[in-house]
Amino acid sequence: MQSKPTTIKEIAQLLGISVSTVSRALHDHPSIGLTTRAKVKKLAGELNYEPNQTAIFLQKGKTHTIGVILPELSEAFFSSAISAIEDTAYKKNYTVLLAQSHDDELKEKQLVEKMKNHRVDGLLVSVGKNTSSFQHFENLKKYNIPVVYFDRIPNIPNIHYVACNMEIGTIEAVSFLLKKGHRAIGMINGPQTMVATGERKEGYIKAMTKNRLKYDPSLIVSCDLTEEGTKKALDELLANKRKPTAIVTFNDYVALFAIKYAQKLNIKLNQELEFVSYANLPLINYMENIPAASVEQFPYLQGQKATDILMDLLHHQDKGSNEQSAYYKIIIESQLIENKK
Amino acid sequence: MQSKPTTIKEIAQLLGISVSTVSRALHDHPSIGLTTRAKVKKLAGELNYEPNQTAIFLQKGKTHTIGVILPELSEAFFSSAISAIEDTAYKKNYTVLLAQSHDDELKEKQLVEKMKNHRVDGLLVSVGKNTSSFQHFENLKKYNIPVVYFDRIPNIPNIHYVACNMEIGTIEAVSFLLKKGHRAIGMINGPQTMVATGERKEGYIKAMTKNRLKYDPSLIVSCDLTEEGTKKALDELLANKRKPTAIVTFNDYVALFAIKYAQKLNIKLNQELEFVSYANLPLINYMENIPAASVEQFPYLQGQKATDILMDLLHHQDKGSNEQSAYYKIIIESQLIENKK
DNA sequence: CAAGGTATTGCAAACGTTTGCGTGTTGTTT
DNA sequence: AAACAACACGCAAACGTTTGCAATACCTTG
């Protein structure tokens, strides 16, 4: 019952011809006669022949597989990105080898090794929160395994990446609130250590100066992104001498925490206090009390672009120009989207 | 600059010994002298030797890779499951090859082929909504590739699966509402075609009869799971001669649609009308108006169990007993969880 | 010192495929 | 009729490992 998969060798034997002829026939090599070609294909069809990829991998040195390492699969942002990656890779006939680092630098390193051993053709990476050294990724260059970073990118030169610039979206967000008449606009920002925190702050300041308004540092508070931290941050803002009438929050989680808390404080949403956030929760649509607008970060698009770049890199490394000087640096502009309710 | 990965052959040459000795030395084969063993390992370390897995795959006929095919990566339920699968597989030193079918039967078939060609050792599958034939999966048996289904399992005999039984959870859900004093309990169920719809209905009926209450069929309405459909279903229930004071909804999406709509109708939640749902959205925690309780389906646990089973199958197929008569049929009991607000 | 044993190592096949090159068989051309 | 293309196919190496078996060296024992 346990039929082993058919091999090229068996076909050759059954037909009384050589394996090379069979191989070539299956690939429509011109030097094979039409009759043998037909014979081979017929038998191959009947025997349900499927080429053994592992053998081809070994032979060609290419696996047609790309590795993906990201922090957390179950996070909405990443699951959306991985969905895009799989879709895009599938179209180009690549397969996806998946792994999550759980934001653990050590595990990340091990995963890189594993990917290397599996001989993935290329790697897509969103680096962990705590990753401080990127040597384990950079080492891959030596083995000619291209790496494309996305979303959470390391701050080092000479890399390919696609990321979303939060600054533009933030400017839009603040401008949106200004246009609605708000003057005291608060911001619940993330931890100082994150790049994203800086981008948001910069965007905030730029939006203010652009509109010839003075920037009040006391209106930006940082937060550890937990529910408790959010409450504290909101308290802090509300206690400010210039009590904000609108708040930009670091992300949707923070926004929802803040909204929930604001309701408990009997604050009238969208009247006394309006929120704008950064989108990372897909189901904003299912809820009633949501931020007035969200800065979209396009996870699907990011995954798609990153995969496209990797495919491009893989394609071009064969033909000449192994000395690459150009690096893909794709910045997707974040974009403010007003939430319909 | 482009250093090719070190091979066993190079080590052998450099040390003036044979490849087989190097191979054995690296595997701590007892027949290799301690001195050579040390020499080999030292050099291997210096040269950063990493075994070429593709070669090992070919040689051993095992890839230490499992394939995962599921409908939609970006859905919370599946992203949670895949997270579990990856975690579990990683611990056993397996790698995950990932693909999504987008509920497309044809693509599902192609993916199975692809997985087979990649010579995955085993397959984890949650079948697509529209899949009617399961032959493409069953064919894998011939090639000795075990398949474990999870969550969305086909209704055929002789398969391994892990699924969540909705009946118990539903009984709990209805009982929960009965205990709270509700007597007219409505249900917004799914399409008649889905297995899950039947299970919910059965659970509902059993809960009623168990409590010696008569079952009123007009209190169960089906719904296509869209927002519009949900509104219609709710209208229908509210127009019933016995207007329900509580409703069990097919899933969280439906619940949120219904809750949103109910608020628009100025119905006082938890007083006039109470909801219980089936959990598939993780961020219920971030919202104010949520179902009073949810039937948990344990996606992470399902993914974990399914992977464990597959690992077990893979382990035991080597040693004897290739004639397997026993099939794993793991039913995880769904469980009602009261939502704290 | 010969015999036997043991510890160490090498040889070569195998996994399934691709591919450069060689070889034989036709057929065409002069 | 000889020479030469063109065509069709086979041989064998290669990809990097593992592993059964053979072979060598060394050591012990009688």
Side-chain angles (χ1 to χ4, degrees):
Chain A
M1 195 58 195
Q2 322 254 23
S3 67
K4 288 275 154 249
T6 317
T7 74
I8 233 174
K9 209 184 276 182
E10 291 164 13
I11 299 184
Q13 207 157 27
L14 250 43
L15 255 42
I17 58 182
S18 79
V19 284
S20 40
T21 305
V22 175
S23 172
R24 278 189 256 255
L26 291 171
H27 286 83
D28 277 322
H29 193 285
S31 83
I32 301 297
L34 287 170
T35 46
T36 25
R37 228 186 282 187
K39 265 197 308 186
V40 169
K41 287 191 177 176
K42 180 157 170 287
L43 186 58
E46 288 169 4
L47 294 181
N48 242 305
Y49 169 75
E50 300 281 349
N52 184 332
Q53 297 289 0
T54 62
I56 298 177
F57 296 161
L58 177 59
Q59 165 65 31
K60 298 230 171 156
K62 294 282 159 208
T63 58
H64 255 65
T65 302
I66 62 173
V68 179
I69 299 180
L70 33 74
E72 200 67 52
L73 283 167
S74 54
E75 260 189 37
F77 181 90
F78 291 117
S79 77
S80 184
I82 184 73
S83 176
I85 292 169
E86 201 279 331
D87 283 344
T88 314
Y90 178 80
K91 275 181 206 140
K92 305 269 170 111
N93 216 27
Y94 274 75
T95 322
V96 173
L97 213 51
L98 184 67
Q100 55 188 338
S101 67
H102 289 301
D103 284 316
D104 176 347
E105 183 165 6
L106 178 62
K107 188 172 180 196
E108 202 175 70
K109 278 185 188 159
Q110 294 170 341
L111 290 175
V112 172
E113 279 305 307
K114 205 171 180 181
M115 293 289 178
K116 189 172 69 176
N117 296 352
H118 268 264
R119 294 297 190 269
V120 296
D121 290 346
L123 202 58
L124 250 33
V125 178
S126 194
V127 300
K129 222 176 275 185
N130 316 309
T131 302
S132 51
S133 157
F134 304 98
Q135 202 51 52
H136 46 299
F137 295 121
E138 292 305 291
N139 281 338
L140 293 175
K141 273 188 190 169
K142 282 192 264 167
Y143 298 103
N144 220 10
I145 300 177
V147 179
V148 177
Y149 301 90
F150 73 97
D151 192 53
R152 298 217 208 142
I153 62 177
N155 189 15
I156 54 176
N158 298 337
I159 58 171
H160 304 280
Y161 67 79
V162 19
C164 196
N165 183 5
M166 292 293 101
E167 208 178 288
I168 304 284
T170 307
I171 294 178
E172 286 180 13
V174 175
S175 302
F176 166 79
L177 291 172
L178 288 172
K179 215 166 284 169
K180 287 188 95 175
H182 296 282
R183 281 301 169 266
I185 300 174
M187 173 175 263
I188 301 184
N189 212 347
Q192 304 288 359
T193 53
M194 296 182 71
V195 193
T197 300
E199 285 181 1
R200 283 162 171 74
K201 183 175 173 185
E202 285 309 309
Y204 179 98
I205 296 177
K206 283 198 183 161
M208 296 304 267
T209 54
K210 204 165 142 189
N211 285 277
R212 305 182 184 288
L213 293 170
K214 67 166 191 281
Y215 151 60
D216 180 353
S218 71
L219 281 176
I220 300 188
V221 302
S222 58
C223 154
D224 61 0
L225 309 181
T226 65
E227 180 156 13
E228 271 317 300
T230 304
K231 284 185 184 175
K232 256 188 221 159
L234 185 55
D235 279 336
E236 196 178 335
L237 279 179
L238 293 177
N240 195 287
K241 51 189 182 307
R242 286 184 65 204
K243 190 168 154 186
T245 59
I247 294 178
V248 179
T249 56
F250 185 82
N251 64 28
D252 274 344
Y253 295 101
V254 172
L256 294 180
F257 286 143
I259 288 174
K260 197 155 105 181
Y261 186 49
Q263 285 193 308
K264 196 163 278 170
L265 297 178
N266 278 322
I267 293 173
K268 286 204 195 78
L269 291 176
N270 299 328
Q271 296 173 22
E272 283 180 67
L273 192 56
E274 198 159 15
F275 284 94
V276 169
S277 175
Y278 296 79
N280 33 22
L281 297 180
L283 41 129
I284 282 286
N285 299 321
Y286 296 94
M287 320 198 304
E288 330 80 273
N289 291 310
I290 56 177
S294 298
V295 179
E296 175 59 49
Q297 307 175 56
F298 306 105
Y300 194 92
L301 190 60
Q302 280 196 48
Q304 201 173 31
K305 291 262 183 205
T307 313
D308 279 338
I309 291 175
L310 187 56
M311 296 287 121
D312 194 63
L313 257 29
L314 292 176
H315 243 157
H316 285 15
Q317 73 182 7
D318 309 329
K319 13 194 134 176
S321 89
N322 35 9
E323 212 51 69
Q324 62 186 1
S325 47
Y327 287 90
Y328 282 97
K329 296 184 185 308
I330 304 288
I331 307 275
I332 295 175
E333 292 305 344
S334 55
Q335 189 181 328
L336 191 74
I337 296 188
E338 291 189 44
N339 292 320
K340 56 178 183 294
K341 19 187 51 193
Chain B
M1 196 58 193
Q2 323 255 22
S3 66
K4 288 274 153 252
T6 317
T7 73
I8 233 174
K9 208 183 278 181
E10 291 164 11
I11 299 184
Q13 206 158 27
L14 250 43
L15 255 43
I17 58 181
S18 78
V19 283
S20 40
T21 304
V22 176
S23 172
R24 279 188 257 255
L26 291 171
H27 288 83
D28 276 321
H29 194 284
S31 81
I32 300 297
L34 288 172
T35 47
T36 25
R37 226 187 283 188
K39 265 197 308 183
V40 169
K41 286 192 178 177
K42 179 156 171 288
L43 186 58
E46 287 169 3
L47 294 181
N48 242 304
Y49 169 75
E50 299 282 350
N52 183 331
Q53 297 289 359
T54 62
I56 298 178
F57 296 161
L58 176 60
Q59 164 67 32
K60 298 227 172 159
K62 294 281 159 209
T63 58
H64 255 63
T65 302
I66 62 173
V68 178
I69 299 179
L70 33 73
E72 199 67 50
L73 282 168
S74 53
E75 261 189 37
F77 181 91
F78 291 118
S79 76
S80 183
I82 183 73
S83 176
I85 291 169
E86 201 278 333
D87 284 344
T88 315
Y90 178 80
K91 274 180 206 139
K92 305 268 171 112
N93 217 26
Y94 274 75
T95 322
V96 173
L97 213 49
L98 183 67
Q100 56 188 336
S101 68
H102 289 301
D103 284 316
D104 176 346
E105 183 165 8
L106 178 62
K107 189 173 178 194
E108 201 176 72
K109 276 186 190 158
Q110 293 170 342
L111 289 175
V112 172
E113 278 305 307
K114 205 170 180 180
M115 294 289 179
K116 190 171 67 177
N117 295 353
H118 268 264
R119 295 294 191 270
V120 295
D121 291 346
L123 203 58
L124 250 34
V125 178
S126 193
V127 300
K129 225 177 269 184
N130 316 307
T131 302
S132 51
S133 156
F134 304 97
Q135 201 50 52
H136 46 300
F137 295 121
E138 292 305 290
N139 281 338
L140 293 175
K141 274 188 190 167
K142 282 192 264 167
Y143 297 103
N144 219 9
I145 300 177
V147 178
V148 177
Y149 300 90
F150 74 97
D151 192 53
R152 298 218 208 140
I153 61 177
N155 189 15
I156 53 176
N158 297 338
I159 58 171
H160 305 281
Y161 67 80
V162 19
C164 194
N165 183 4
M166 291 295 101
E167 209 178 288
I168 305 283
T170 307
I171 295 177
E172 285 180 14
V174 175
S175 303
F176 167 78
L177 290 172
L178 289 172
K179 215 166 284 168
K180 287 188 96 177
H182 296 283
R183 281 301 169 267
I185 299 174
M187 173 175 263
I188 301 183
N189 212 347
Q192 304 288 359
T193 51
M194 295 182 71
V195 194
T197 301
E199 285 180 3
R200 282 161 172 76
K201 184 175 172 184
E202 284 309 309
Y204 179 99
I205 297 176
K206 282 197 183 160
M208 296 304 268
T209 54
K210 204 165 144 190
N211 286 276
R212 305 184 185 289
L213 292 169
K214 69 165 190 283
Y215 152 59
D216 179 353
S218 71
L219 280 175
I220 299 188
V221 301
S222 59
C223 154
D224 62 0
L225 309 182
T226 65
E227 179 156 14
E228 272 316 301
T230 304
K231 284 184 184 177
K232 257 188 221 158
L234 185 55
D235 279 335
E236 195 178 334
L237 280 179
L238 294 176
N240 195 288
K241 51 190 181 307
R242 285 184 66 205
K243 190 168 153 186
T245 58
I247 294 178
V248 179
T249 57
F250 185 81
N251 64 28
D252 274 345
Y253 295 101
V254 172
L256 294 180
F257 287 142
I259 287 174
K260 199 157 104 179
Y261 187 50
Q263 284 193 308
K264 198 163 278 173
L265 296 178
N266 279 321
I267 294 173
K268 287 206 195 75
L269 290 176
N270 298 330
Q271 296 173 22
E272 282 181 69
L273 191 56
E274 197 159 15
F275 284 92
V276 168
S277 174
Y278 296 80
N280 33 24
L281 296 181
L283 42 129
I284 283 287
N285 299 322
Y286 296 95
M287 319 198 306
E288 327 81 272
N289 291 308
I290 56 177
S294 298
V295 179
E296 175 59 49
Q297 309 176 54
F298 306 105
Y300 195 92
L301 190 60
Q302 281 197 48
Q304 201 173 33
K305 290 262 184 206
T307 313
D308 279 339
I309 292 175
L310 186 56
M311 297 286 122
D312 194 63
L313 256 29
L314 292 176
H315 245 154
H316 284 16
Q317 73 183 7
D318 309 330
K319 14 195 135 174
S321 91
N322 35 10
E323 212 51 67
Q324 63 186 0
S325 47
Y327 287 89
Y328 282 97
K329 296 183 186 307
I330 305 288
I331 307 275
I332 295 175
E333 293 304 345
S334 56
Q335 189 183 328
L336 191 75
I337 297 188
E338 292 190 43
N339 292 318
K340 56 178 185 292
K341 17 187 53 191

